């Protein structure tokens, strides 16, 4: 780092993304991308004629995309904000709803971006331990006075919190915001979006990176009351009004409108997840219950770090976190059935030589 780095920046805790190799020699099961291409409607929307309009700014209001999202969830466009991935929306939310005297609470084992944002904005952060079985109990958050952030399903565990539990949090203190990060909700969990109509203090964030196969498009959105969305737009227009490019706006709206393709991809992932869980358990792995497009698993015969390194040496990338409580686990993205079969075969080979 340079001598010019500010003390505030030095205190940042940067999020570490999963490996993104530039070649294609790996089976990539480490970043929770979809194994499927985008909807055919997306490819139709990204025409040469539209690409030729890139000399023009994109729509800062993201009107067409917000309207498509609103239609999908039975809300009004005023209840939607879109951004450059849900990470940007979450950053807006940390800035909008946290500050001096109002911190954020989130799990000790969860999406690392929350920690990074709390550090970036100099916020007080309460890290709430997951229970021994890695479940999140809302009782542990009921009396926290600041903003509560819950990934549901959680990452990297894949485990969920009931909607009734979220409802308890919302009703316990109507003067605080509860952010529910639903990046993986489409793979079998129950969404909190219907609660948006009932609670002014609920913000639900989602992404098109996973279930809508647009990780490279960087499109996220949030759903909430008109007032919460206005707060987020205040932050957005103080940072970068044009954060979503023209082509991503088109791709996102087209993907949101293709419900049939969306459902078929989610169904396929869930079926492959069930096959993968069974295959891992047959090989002696303990697998946490997952409602996401990944599983969190550990083997008593291969420590997590060793399994990660040996798989990588043989062309398969999974995610390993060198952290207390989860050091023995690896997070495995659900890819295609062929990819998961290749993973099972490689695990068989590794176990056979122990």
């Amino acid at each position: 780092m340079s001598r010019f780095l500010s003390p505030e920046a030095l205190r940042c805790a940067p999020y570490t993304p999963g490996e993104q190799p530039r070649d294609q020699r790996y089976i990539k099961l480490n970043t929770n991308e979809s194994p499927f291409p985008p909807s055919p409607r997306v490819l139709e929307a990204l025409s040469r004629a539209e690409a030729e309009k890139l000399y023009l700014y994109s729509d800062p209001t993201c009107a067409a995309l917000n309207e498509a999202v609103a239609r999908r969830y039975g809300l009004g466009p005023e209840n939607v904000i879109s951004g450059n991935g849900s990470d940007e929306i979450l950053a807006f939310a940390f800035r909008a709803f946290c500050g001096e005297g109002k911190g954020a609470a989130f799990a000790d084992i969860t999406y690392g971006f929350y920690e990074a944002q709390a550090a970036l904005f100099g916020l007080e952060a309460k890290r709430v331990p997951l229970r021994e079985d890695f479940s999140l109990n809302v009782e542990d958050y009921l009396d926290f006075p600041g903003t509560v952030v819950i990934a549901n399903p959680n990452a990297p565990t894949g485990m969920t919190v009931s909607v009734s539990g979220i409802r308890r949090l919302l009703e316990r203190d109507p003067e605080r915001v509860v952010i529910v990060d639903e990046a993986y909700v489409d793979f079998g969990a129950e969404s909190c979006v219907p609660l948006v109509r009932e609670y002014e203090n609920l913000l639900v964030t989602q992404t098109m990176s996973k279930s809508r196969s647009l990780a490279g498009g960087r499109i996220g959105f949030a759903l909430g009351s008109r007032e919460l969305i206005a707060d987020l737009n205040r932050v957005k227009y103080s940072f970068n009004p044009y954060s979503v490019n023209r082509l991503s706006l088109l791709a996102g709206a087209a993907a949101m409108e293709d419900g049939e393709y969306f459902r078929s991809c989610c169904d396929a992932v869930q079926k492959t997840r069930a096959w993968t869980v069974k295959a891992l358990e047959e090989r002696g792995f303990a697998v946490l219950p997952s409602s996401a497009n990944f599983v969190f698993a550990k083997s008593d015969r291969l420590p997590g770090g060793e399994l990660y390194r040996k798989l990588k040496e043989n062309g398969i990338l999974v995610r390993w976190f060198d952290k207390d409580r989860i050091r023995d686990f690896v997070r495995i993205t659900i890819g295609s059935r062929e990819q998961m079969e290749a993973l099972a075969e490689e695990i068989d080979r590794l176990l056979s030589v122990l």
Side-chain angles (χ1 to χ4, degrees):
M1 64 189 71
S2 79
R3 68 182 186 278
F4 305 108
L5 188 70
S6 70
E8 292 79 9
L10 187 61
R11 288 195 292 268
C12 286
Y15 171 68
T16 303
E19 297 167 272
Q20 294 283 2
R22 298 182 66 87
D23 57 43
Q24 296 297 317
R25 68 186 185 89
Y26 290 102
I27 294 176
K28 260 181 106 277
L29 304 177
N30 66 324
T31 50
N32 300 339
E33 295 148 318
S34 172
F36 307 109
S39 159
R41 292 194 190 182
V42 170
L43 304 181
E44 292 172 6
L46 302 181
S47 65
R48 179 183 178 89
E50 291 296 339
E52 289 177 348
K53 295 178 183 177
L54 285 175
Y55 66 95
L56 299 171
Y57 280 112
S58 58
D59 174 13
T61 71
C62 304
L65 176 55
N66 289 349
E67 288 166 5
V69 172
R71 283 194 299 272
R72 165 70 176 79
Y73 292 104
L75 297 169
E78 69 276 8
N79 300 118
V80 183
I81 181 174
S82 297
N84 192 284
S86 58
D87 286 346
E88 182 180 62
I89 300 294
L90 287 164
F92 292 163
F94 272 88
R95 181 69 289 168
F97 308 124
C98 304
E100 186 175 349
K102 185 179 288 187
F106 43 82
D108 64 333
I109 299 170
T110 192
Y111 183 32
F113 193 75
Y114 310 150
E115 182 84 32
Q117 285 301 310
L120 177 64
F121 295 125
L123 305 174
E124 292 185 13
K126 180 179 181 181
R127 298 155 191 85
V128 183
L130 296 178
R131 297 296 174 96
E132 187 175 350
D133 64 353
F134 296 104
S135 63
L136 186 151
N137 194 313
V138 297
E139 294 285 339
D140 301 330
Y141 296 81
L142 287 179
D143 296 322
F144 181 73
T147 299
V148 174
V149 187
I150 293 178
N152 196 30
N154 193 20
T157 67
M159 298 173 67
T160 59
V161 179
S162 68
V163 171
S164 61
I166 300 297
R167 188 185 289 273
R168 283 194 67 201
L169 278 175
L170 293 164
E171 293 179 350
R172 180 61 171 251
D173 185 356
E175 299 307 311
R176 69 171 173 205
V177 174
V178 176
I179 301 171
V180 182
D181 180 356
E182 293 189 343
Y184 303 101
V185 74
D186 296 322
F187 301 104
E190 185 179 4
S191 175
C192 290
V193 169
L195 301 186
V196 166
R197 301 179 185 87
E198 301 179 49
Y199 298 98
E200 295 180 348
N201 58 329
L202 171 64
L203 185 75
V204 179
T205 64
Q206 291 193 12
T207 177
M208 296 198 187
S209 295
K210 320 299 181 182
S211 57
R212 289 184 170 82
S213 304
L214 288 174
R218 308 308 305 125
I219 308 164
F221 57 92
L223 305 149
S225 66
R226 178 195 295 265
E227 292 76 17
L228 287 187
I229 298 303
D231 293 342
L232 294 176
N233 274 311
R234 181 180 182 86
V235 175
K236 170 184 173 177
Y237 280 82
S238 300
F239 175 66
N240 179 13
Y242 301 102
S243 64
V244 186
N245 70 72
R246 295 182 66 91
L247 298 184
S248 288
L249 289 174
L250 290 168
M256 187 59 65
E257 290 167 355
D258 195 348
E260 183 177 353
Y261 186 79
F262 160 76
R263 286 187 293 273
S264 68
C265 291
C266 292
D267 288 346
V269 168
Q270 290 180 71
K271 290 176 182 176
T272 305
R273 183 181 67 208
W275 183 93
T276 303
V277 169
K278 184 173 184 291
L280 289 171
E281 290 178 340
E282 288 174 346
R283 289 157 176 81
F285 280 73
V287 186
L288 297 187
S290 175
S291 295
N293 69 334
F294 57 82
V295 293
F296 206 45
K298 69 173 182 176
S299 167
D300 289 337
R301 299 177 63 190
L302 271 174
E306 185 178 352
L307 176 59
Y308 154 73
R309 286 186 288 271
K310 288 184 177 296
L311 287 173
K312 183 177 180 180
E313 289 170 4
N314 292 280
I316 299 177
L317 288 178
V318 297
R319 191 79 190 268
W320 175 61
F321 301 89
D322 188 11
K323 296 181 179 180
D324 292 342
R325 297 186 68 190
I326 59 173
R327 196 167 280 113
D328 289 335
F329 286 81
V330 292
R331 192 194 68 193
I332 305 170
T333 301
I334 303 301
S336 66
R337 177 63 178 267
E338 292 74 21
Q339 288 175 322
M340 306 320 289
E341 289 174 351
L343 171 70
E345 291 174 4
E346 184 56 34
I347 289 175
D348 283 339
R349 192 189 69 78
L350 293 176
L351 294 177
S352 70
V353 298
L354 293 179

